[in-house]
Amino acid sequence: MPSPDQNAPPLRRRGARMRSAVLAAAVDVLTAQGLAGTTVGAVARAAGVHETSVYRRWGSRENLILEALTEQLDAAMPVPDTGRVRDDLATYFGALARLLATAQGEALLRLSVERDDTLPDRRLPYWAERLERGAVMVRRGVERGELAPDTDPGLVIEAISGALFTRALISGAPLDEHLATRLVDLTLTGALPRTPAGP
């Protein structure tokens, strides 16, 4: 027997209201049913809009999921400025660890690495842009003299984030803030200013 929401006619939502309703519904459906269950039809029903309206605006299921997750999850990773590079990175990557431990974060990560011809050059930029924020924090640490002048910001960020992504995608081991802090400490040890060798 169909549920009431399946029988209800789509609401007449347009523009920004329609976009907000659809993106919120996409996150809700994804959380409840997982990536496989997040179809355009399911999202349209949950948002109370026509399925054709969703396709017209987003073009594909993948584009819809990517935009919904990007908007929803960006707020989970603010860029701190505590005045100490170690605290900044521990806070930032602690937030990333918490994010990757959620259904939404896992879906975004998997969507980013899955091969899909409908998403040319749309997946990796999401993470590249957010990891560049981490590089900004490393550069601040170099400018303050906390890290060696020749520190490679991108390499520092890749060393920390790569371990988190590997654990999230492959090992299945728990993700938590303590892991992020340990990774930050381990990585920054190699970037500390070096004492000049004696004669």
Side-chain angles (χ1 to χ4, degrees):
M1 180 177 180
S3 62
D5 63 314
Q6 289 177 312
N7 291 328
L11 302 177
R12 294 185 178 278
R13 288 176 170 154
R14 298 187 182 190
R17 287 184 62 212
M18 190 271 278
R19 177 179 178 275
S20 296
V22 171
L23 294 181
V27 173
D28 290 342
V29 173
L30 179 64
T31 301
Q33 302 182 31
L35 192 56
T38 307
T39 64
V40 171
V43 172
R45 286 192 297 274
V49 301
H50 287 284
E51 190 170 336
T52 53
S53 299
V54 178
Y55 275 113
R56 189 180 306 117
R57 175 146 192 158
W58 282 276
S60 72
R61 164 184 175 270
E62 289 78 12
N63 288 339
L64 169 61
I65 293 173
L66 186 61
E67 184 172 340
L69 289 173
T70 297
E71 181 158 301
Q72 174 77 13
L73 301 178
D74 267 355
M77 291 181 64
V79 179
D81 188 1
T82 66
R84 293 186 61 205
V85 65
R86 188 260 186 191
D87 293 343
D88 286 348
L89 293 176
T91 299
Y92 189 71
F93 283 103
L96 176 58
R98 290 193 302 273
L99 172 60
L100 293 177
T102 66
Q104 297 97 326
E106 181 182 354
L108 179 55
L109 184 56
R110 292 192 179 280
L111 188 65
S112 298
V113 298
E114 287 177 357
R115 297 294 299 171
D116 192 318
D117 293 337
T118 67
L119 281 176
D121 302 324
R122 285 290 308 279
R123 297 162 293 170
L124 295 181
Y126 174 86
W127 292 113
E129 291 165 6
R130 279 129 197 96
L131 295 179
E132 172 57 25
R133 299 176 185 177
V136 169
M137 291 182 274
V138 176
R139 292 189 191 101
R140 290 198 305 239
V142 172
E143 292 169 0
R144 289 192 296 259
E146 296 177 86
L147 303 177
D150 61 350
T151 297
D152 182 337
L155 187 59
V156 170
I157 297 308
E158 288 173 11
I160 302 169
S161 61
L164 288 175
F165 291 154
T166 297
R167 180 166 289 203
L169 281 171
I170 300 173
S171 73
L175 284 166
D176 56 45
E177 296 176 63
H178 301 299
L179 170 65
T181 299
R182 294 199 306 273
L183 289 172
V184 168
D185 288 339
L186 180 65
T187 304
L188 290 188
T189 297
L192 294 176
R194 290 170 287 282
T195 303

